[in-house]
């Protein structure tokens, strides 16, 4: 299946927010953004740089603005994608088709496009990472999954630390195990934990 077919399948999938997703896609297609597939979801780019994504979740659907923190957001519709983790990513959530305001959405998207086109996106600088202590739960799991272990070793120290903190910060054992499984799946695919939120 080609990427174009996968994108169509994403939008045609039967789910509560299908009409809303299709409407957002119609709006985005009136802009100069290019539609592509990344991380299993439709992402829209300009000059091969990520600008927005259209995604659906259990209780809402919406637009991810990869550098939303740099937008004016006069209508105060944007939320931090992952509080305390994402620096620039912002999410505009919707729960119904009626909430979609095309002129307002276009104004936000066009502002995001201009930011990217005019190179107004600051380079992300990571803080120096101190020595990484891999938790036993992750270390043991990696020893039983050589593909994931190889990927983990090849990641930058910053990305390895993200995985370690993601798992150890879980308060309940059930959550910790769930995060471990998600981490192993991503590592088996050669991905960092938060690659989907980076350019």
């Amino acid at each position: 299946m080609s990427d174009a077919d996968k994108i169509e399948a994403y939008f045609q999938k039967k789910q509560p927010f299908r009409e809303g997703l299709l409407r957002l896609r119609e709006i985005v297609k009136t802009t100069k953004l290019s539609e592509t597939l990344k991380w299993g979801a439709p992402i829209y780019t300009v000059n091969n740089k990520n600008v927005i994504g259209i995604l659906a979740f259990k209780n809402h659907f919406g637009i991810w603005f990869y550098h939303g923190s740099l937008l004016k957001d006069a209508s105060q519709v944007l939320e931090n994608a992952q509080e305390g983790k994402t620096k620039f990513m912002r999410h505009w959530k919707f729960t119904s088709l009626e909430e979609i305001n095309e002129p307002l959405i276009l104004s936000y998207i066009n502002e995001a496009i201009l930011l990217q086109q005019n190179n107004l996106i600051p380079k992300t600088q990571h803080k120096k990472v101190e020595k990484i202590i891999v938790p036993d739960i992750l270390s043991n799991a990696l020893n039983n999954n050589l593909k994931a272990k190889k990927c983990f070793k090849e990641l930058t120290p910053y990305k390895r630390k993200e995985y370690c903190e993601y798992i150890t910060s879980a308060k309940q054992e059930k959550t910790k195990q769930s995060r471990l499984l998600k981490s192993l799946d991503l590592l088996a695919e050669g991905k960092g934990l938060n690659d989907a939120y980076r350019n």
Side-chain angles (χ1 to χ4, degrees):
M1 185 183 288
S2 68
D3 283 356
D5 290 333
K6 290 177 182 177
I7 291 173
E8 288 302 324
Y10 182 92
F11 283 107
Q12 297 304 327
K13 181 181 177 182
K14 288 185 178 180
Q15 54 111 336
F17 302 120
R18 180 171 170 269
E19 287 187 16
L21 291 174
L22 288 170
R23 183 71 190 102
L24 290 179
R25 187 190 193 192
E26 287 176 4
I27 294 171
V28 174
K29 284 201 164 188
T30 66
T31 72
K32 56 181 70 177
L33 292 173
S34 299
E35 187 176 64
T36 185
L37 184 79
K38 296 184 181 182
W39 312 290
I43 303 299
Y44 298 84
T45 66
V46 64
N47 300 329
N48 294 317
K49 296 289 187 179
N50 299 335
V51 178
I52 64 169
I54 297 178
L55 296 163
F57 298 88
K58 184 177 179 180
N59 299 313
H60 64 271
F61 65 101
I63 303 174
W64 294 90
F65 288 85
Y66 279 82
H67 296 93
S69 66
L70 304 178
L71 301 178
K72 295 171 185 172
D73 193 20
S75 297
Q76 297 291 297
V77 295
L78 302 180
E79 298 179 22
N80 194 315
Q82 282 189 308
E83 196 67 46
K85 288 188 177 285
T86 50
K87 186 173 182 179
F88 298 115
M89 175 78 79
R90 295 293 182 271
H91 191 192
W92 188 346
K93 296 180 181 178
F94 306 97
T95 57
S96 70
L97 190 62
E98 292 70 32
E99 294 176 1
I100 295 177
N101 180 330
E102 180 173 349
L104 187 60
I105 290 172
L106 278 173
S107 71
Y108 273 68
I109 293 174
N110 286 326
E111 184 186 351
I113 291 172
L114 286 174
L115 281 173
Q116 192 62 263
Q117 285 184 319
N118 294 325
N119 295 316
L120 299 176
I121 308 300
K123 298 292 183 183
T124 303
Q125 295 184 351
H126 299 309
K127 295 178 181 178
K128 186 176 179 180
V129 180
E130 61 272 18
K131 184 178 179 182
I132 301 166
I133 300 175
V134 181
D136 289 342
I137 185 175
L138 177 57
S139 179
N140 293 335
L142 290 174
N143 286 333
N144 292 318
N145 188 325
L146 297 182
K147 188 174 181 181
K149 184 175 183 178
K150 181 175 182 293
C151 173
F152 185 78
K153 283 186 173 181
E154 292 173 351
L155 291 176
T156 62
Y158 183 85
K159 289 187 177 184
R160 291 201 298 272
K161 185 182 179 185
E162 283 185 326
Y163 272 116
C164 294
E165 290 183 345
Y166 175 64
I167 293 169
T168 57
S169 64
K171 294 178 180 177
Q172 296 185 0
E173 186 61 29
K174 181 180 177 181
T175 306
K176 194 172 289 187
Q177 290 295 334
S178 174
R179 290 185 179 184
L180 175 65
L181 291 175
K182 176 184 175 182
S183 298
L184 291 175
D185 286 343
L186 287 171
L187 286 167
E189 294 175 11
K191 297 176 181 177
L193 178 65
N194 293 310
D195 282 359
Y197 310 119
R198 300 186 175 102
N199 279 347

